[in-house]
């Protein structure tokens, strides 16, 4: 358990701030609590309320997707239809936002946090990209802050020291850290503090990871690859393939554009009123075969329409 988790547990148990911080921390905690409403309103409106999509020129890529699959980023940039999110999944994300917001307020019982959820430009591949970080935590040094709510399995791996870039966490953190170092928003050597909360048990753990330029450089290469491919009217190559048994790789099973990615060229997927995927091309049986074999859980029945 790290120092942040210790301080939060102390506060929850005693409702008393660190004696070394005193009234300053209590004042910060009140200010932070007052800001919870703003963050919650933004997150809940994003998750629940209908919205009008902003019209943007060209391809828009975001820092939070810095090292994600380039093919997924390309499909999303081209605004291909994404798999509708199940109500239970939406609720899980809402709960995660609530937990992260509460954790942020509790961190203020011991530390100053600045810049939380504030829009800022982060440079990736030589261009400014608009994004929102979880902020900067002022400890003995200023450090980049990342808050994550996790399931029990993910939290166990996190406590065990497993924090890789499978889901893009390290890429995102290092992109933020690189820009914050350049703008003197964090101190050398540019560490990031990850604070993880088990949303099932309420356990909390934090770990500090160093700034690693290689992840920021990978993000540069990734965004360059996506933008160059799209400029040439091509999709990036699929970095993952079906297993010998026809199943999707685990990371692909969570992808919202997998129905387009694992289809033959020229196909376009739509989702009907029951959220079932529907194809409108004659060769869709190929995707139907692959995706049915690759299902990792209950999936809606596949239907092919307008076969040529």
């Amino acid at each position: 358990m790290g120092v942040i988790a210790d301080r939060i547990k102390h506060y929850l148990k005693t409702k008393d701030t660190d004696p070394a911080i005193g009234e300053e921390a209590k004042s910060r905690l009140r200010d932070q609590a007052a800001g919870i409403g703003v963050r919650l309103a933004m997150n809940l409106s994003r998750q629940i309320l209908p919205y009008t999509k902003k019209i943007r020129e060209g391809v828009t890529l975001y820092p939070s997707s810095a090292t994600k699959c380039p093919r997924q980023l390309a499909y999303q940039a081209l605004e291909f239809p994404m798999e509708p999110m199940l109500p239970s999944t939406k609720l899980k994300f809402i709960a995660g936002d609530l937990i992260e917001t509460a954790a942020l307020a509790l961190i203020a019982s011991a530390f100053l946090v600045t810049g939380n959820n504030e829009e800022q430009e982060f440079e990736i591949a030589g261009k400014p990209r608009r994004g929102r970080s979880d902020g900067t935590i002022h400890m003995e040094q200023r450090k980049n802050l990342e808050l994550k709510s996790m399931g029990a399995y993910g939290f166990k791996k996190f406590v065990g020291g497993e924090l890789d870039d499978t889901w893009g966490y390290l890429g995102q953190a290092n992109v933020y850290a690189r820009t914050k170092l350049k703008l003197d928003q964090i101190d050398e050597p540019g560490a990031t503090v990850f604070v993880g909360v088990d949303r099932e048990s309420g356990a909390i753990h934090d770990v500090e990871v160093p700034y690693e330029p290689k992840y920021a450089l990978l993000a540069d290469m990734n965004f360059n690859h996506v933008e160059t491919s799209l400029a040439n009217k091509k999709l990036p190559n699929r970095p993952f393939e079906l297993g010998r048994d026809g199943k999707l790789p685990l990371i692909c099973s969570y992808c919202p554009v997998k129905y387009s990615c694992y289809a033959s060229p020229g196909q376009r997927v739509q989702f009907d009123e029951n959220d079932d995927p529907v194809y409108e091309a004659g060769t869709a049986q190929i995707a139907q075969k692959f995706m049915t074999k690759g299902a990792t859980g209950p999936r809606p029945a596949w239907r092919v329409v307008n076969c040529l």
Side-chain angles (χ1 to χ4, degrees), residues 87-108:
S88 58
T89 304
K90 285 186 178 180
L91 186 57
K92 182 170 70 173
F93 278 112
I94 292 170
D97 282 340
L98 291 170
I99 290 170
E100 290 174 13
T101 303
L104 177 67
L106 291 168
I107 290 171

Side-chain angles (χ1 to χ4, degrees), residues 160-174:
E162 291 189 45
L163 183 64
D164 59 28
D165 204 39
T166 302
W167 307 105
Y169 295 155
L170 292 177
Q172 176 183 342
N174 281 279

Side-chain angles (χ1 to χ4, degrees), residues 70-71 220-230 235-237:
R71 194 170 170 96
D220 293 337
M221 294 170 60
N222 199 36
F223 276 22
N224 272 326
H225 180 41
V226 173
E227 291 175 329
T228 300
S229 297
L230 294 180
L235 283 168
N237 291 330

Side-chain angles (χ1 to χ4, degrees), residues 200-259:
E200 298 175 32
S201 70
I204 187 167
H205 181 73
D206 62 275
V207 63
E208 182 177 312
V209 298
Y211 169 56
E212 296 188 70
K214 68 177 182 181
Y215 287 109
L217 292 174
L218 284 173
D220 293 337
M221 294 170 60
N222 199 36
F223 276 22
N224 272 326
H225 180 41
V226 173
E227 291 175 329
T228 300
S229 297
L230 294 180
N232 293 326
K233 301 186 184 304
K234 295 181 179 180
L235 283 168
N237 291 330
R238 190 185 299 116
F240 309 102
E241 295 296 339
L242 296 169
R244 292 183 178 180
D245 55 0
K247 289 185 177 181
L248 288 174
L250 177 63
I251 193 169
C252 294
S253 66
Y254 289 98
C255 177
V257 291
K258 57 181 173 289
Y259 293 103

